[in-house]
Amino acid sequence: MPDRAVVVDSLVVERGGRTVLNNVKLSIPQGTITGLLGPSGCGKTTLMRSIVGTQKVASGTVTVLGSTAGTKELRHKVGYVTQAPSVYRDLTVRDNVRYFAAMYGRGAQSVTSAIEAVGLTEYARSLAGQLSGGQLGRVSLASALVAEPELLVLDEPTVGLDPVLRAELWARFEDIARSGTTLLVSSHVMEEAEHCADLVLMRDGSVLAQLTPDELLKRTGETNLEHAFLTLIRTTQNLENAS
Ligand SMILES: Nc1ncnc2c1ncn2[C@@H]1O[C@H](COP(=O)(O)OP(=O)(O)OP(=O)(O)O)[C@@H](O)[C@H]1O
């Protein structure tokens, strides 16, 4: 088993005639939370789609758990939760998760554990259509978790959540990572970086840096992660202008 869950090398992706990922290189350590951070439109979703194998790539390589992204052997090993919750609103929470469990050959105990892991046990018998937006997102997450993936890719899972729910969800992600799952979580809220062991910072289709939150603070001399990211962007721009 490689100690890197994902290795991306020289990745170029074009969408709508534009280069939206430009020579991206990164690696994601196993069993930890890696935060993919950057402003809206910088290419986070495109990079995630490349990792889960649903994005056409122009050149470069994406290796996931030792195999080429998107290949058959990864189907049961990689979970992906998109920004729009994919939930059957006319089914209960439990039946939603049970449906995905059946697809991946998992039993009733896995369904119960996945619902518990996202904190929805008391809503298991509720119709998904009667849940709040944040709860719906967590049903989607439970549906991905029930497959017991080795790599879980979450696209802006905390968007639109209040600070309390956001903190609760990050605590869940930390539990999931502790159980050995690798998580890649995107966000455009820099504060969320503090929950991650490792950060991939993106801007305009490029990776500016891959480092830990502490390294980011040290490198920029800042005490706050949001300021640190802005400082890093400014320093990179100055270097680009000078060259
Ligand atoms: N279907 C598409 N066709 C053409 N261009 C697209 C398509 N989807 C996204 N793009 C472009 O690709 C670039 C990267 O988009 P992407 O969705 O990966 O960014 P993002 O960082 O995930 O943004 P957000 O945080 O807003 O979700 C953007 O410039 C976007 O306009």
Side-chain angles (χ1 to χ4, degrees), residues 27-29 32-36 183-186 196-200 210:
S27 65
I28 297 176
T32 58
I33 305 180
T34 297
L36 178 57
L183 278 93
L184 177 64
V185 183
S186 72
C196 303
D198 208 35
L199 303 174
V200 173
Q210 181 173 8

Side-chain angles (χ1 to χ4, degrees), residues 14-21 38-49 55 83 155-156 186-188 202 205:
E14 283 159 11
R15 292 181 91 172
R18 284 181 47 233
T19 300
V20 297
L21 291 183
S40 179
C42 70
K44 301 181 296 295
T45 301
T46 307
L47 177 57
M48 290 186 143
R49 285 163 49 100
Q55 177 65 53
Q83 280 182 37
D155 197 350
E156 305 226 14
S186 72
S187 176
H188 58 262
M202 287 188 71

Side-chain angles (χ1 to χ4, degrees), residues 64-83:
V64 177
L65 305 167
S67 302
T68 301
T71 47
K72 212 171 71 205
E73 54 268 37
L74 291 174
R75 238 190 77 209
H76 288 205
K77 295 184 182 171
V78 179
Y80 179 37
V81 181
T82 60
Q83 280 182 37

